[in-house]
Amino acid sequence: MQAISDALASFWQIWSPNLILDVGRYVIAAGGMALILKLFWNAGLGRRKIQARSASRDDVRREILTSLRTGIIFSLTGVVIVLGAINGVFTIYPDFEVAGIGYLAISLAAIIVAHDAYFYWTHRLMHHPRLFRYFHRTHHRSVTPTPFAAYAFDVPEALMMAMFTPLWLLLVPMHVLGLFLFMAFMIVRNVMGHAGVELMPRALADSRWFGWINATTHHDLHHSSFHHNYGLYFTWWDRLMGTEHPAYREQLRGHREENAAPAAREPYRPLAAKGAAVPRLSSAE
Ligand SMILES: [Zn+2]
Ligand SMILES: [Zn+2]
């Protein structure tokens, strides 16, 4: 009996900080983005709203509940990572004597590029008709995403997403700060992609040097049109594989669908009236 209670106590000791980290970063990033939208709506963000439609209260409730479930799943993966590090399966080092700041920067850039590739290909896999219903349907119930949709996953999708970091750590040693910065980058870019208003400069559409960075319109179009724009941070894979939405660059330039214009001049109204119909989006046809 004592052995079981000791095991539970040490499990909780490892799990609780991971729970705070994974659920906390979602709450802070999604809540913070919602607050930014509210505060700066009239100052200009309202004019950058991407879709005419607004999410319903039910949409937001579903996004929050499923995202919290994903946060719990991620935190359990965190337990696996900590146990793996303790037992020498993964190398997560806390000081700069093992490797310097240069290695931290390179390994951070590498994990972001690798995660973008992992996301693109697992995302395309989850769109396969045989898998979609089990893996990815919950995420696409958000036709007009809000920042709270960041982790709105079915359980199998959450597990697939959670597997990336342990797989990476099997191959690449990481400084603990590098891992933390990666997690922060991931959630910030994730809530930006679901913000519903364009947060990036429109010049990205035609920028020779920065056109490879995904704007919010990129992932928003994935939600509204379903069949294009599978990438998370960068446009590389979509361009290489011919899956970039044909209207992406034009919409990013500011030539929005005709039904997107009126909402931009309305006062702050993040939520639609209950039962509001989903309009047909020209880009979905
Ligand atoms: Zn998708
Ligand atoms: Zn999404």
Side-chain angles (χ1 to χ4, degrees):
M1 209 56 198
Q2 185 61 34
I4 294 172
S5 85
D6 285 353
L8 282 174
S10 45
F11 174 77
W12 176 246
Q13 206 179 5
I14 298 174
W15 186 33
S16 53
N18 279 287
L19 196 58
I20 291 167
L21 190 71
D22 283 313
V23 175
R25 72 184 155 124
Y26 165 75
V27 171
I28 291 169
M33 181 57 75
L35 188 65
I36 288 169
L37 293 178
K38 189 173 169 60
L39 292 176
F40 296 99
W41 192 261
N42 293 333
L45 285 185
R47 287 192 294 280
R48 297 179 141 251
K49 191 171 188 294
I50 296 165
Q51 295 183 28
R53 181 180 182 264
S54 293
S56 72
R57 205 168 283 279
D58 286 347
D59 285 331
V60 174
R61 189 180 303 123
R62 182 192 63 249
E63 288 173 356
I64 291 173
L65 288 176
T66 51
S67 289
L68 291 176
R69 180 178 65 190
T70 298
I72 293 168
I73 291 169
F74 283 5
S75 70
L76 291 169
T77 320
V79 174
V80 173
I81 291 171
V82 171
L83 290 175
I86 290 170
N87 291 292
V89 181
F90 310 126
T91 303
I92 302 171
Y93 58 95
D95 51 45
F96 287 101
E97 278 161 30
V98 180
I101 194 90
Y103 178 81
L104 187 148
I106 290 167
S107 60
L108 177 60
I111 193 173
I112 289 170
V113 169
H115 186 233
D116 184 67
Y118 181 86
F119 184 92
Y120 178 86
W121 287 105
T122 53
H123 190 185
R124 283 199 67 178
L125 188 66
M126 290 188 298
H127 272 257
H128 189 282
R130 284 176 188 265
L131 298 182
F132 181 79
R133 177 205 306 213
Y134 307 106
F135 277 77
H136 199 42
R137 184 157 68 176
T138 291
H139 195 65
H140 276 280
R141 287 179 70 188
S142 299
V143 177
T144 307
T146 81
F148 296 103
Y151 281 171
F153 302 150
D154 289 294
V155 171
E157 175 167 10
L159 289 170
M160 179 114 86
M161 292 298 128
M163 270 165 53
F164 169 76
T165 307
L167 286 175
W168 173 261
L169 286 169
L170 279 178
L171 305 171
V172 183
M174 292 291 293
H175 191 285
V176 69
L177 177 64
L179 268 186
F180 180 81
L181 291 174
F182 166 61
M183 286 183 197
F185 177 83
M186 182 183 7
I187 189 63
V188 168
R189 290 294 277 121
N190 193 335
V191 296
M192 284 176 73
H194 294 102
V197 305
E198 187 48 73
L199 299 167
M200 292 287 194
R202 297 206 179 278
L204 277 190
D206 301 299
S207 170
R208 198 176 197 194
W209 299 104
F210 299 103
W212 48 274
I213 298 171
N214 276 7
T216 303
T217 299
H218 194 273
H219 193 66
D220 200 281
L221 273 171
H222 179 69
H223 279 267
S224 61
S225 77
F226 190 76
H227 286 303
H228 295 90
N229 296 0
Y230 298 95
L232 180 60
Y233 310 128
F234 312 120
T235 58
W236 300 321
W237 284 106
D238 280 302
R239 300 201 92 172
L240 189 67
M241 302 310 295
T243 53
E244 184 171 285
H245 195 292
Y248 166 55
R249 307 269 159 184
E250 205 187 334
Q251 280 209 27
L252 181 54
R253 281 183 205 112
H255 302 290
R256 288 172 294 176
E257 354 163 2
E258 69 277 7
N259 64 354
R265 285 186 288 276
E266 288 175 5
Y268 179 65
R269 189 177 58 88
L271 299 176
K274 206 166 181 185
V278 181
R280 283 168 69 81
L281 295 163
S282 55
S283 50
E285 290 156 6

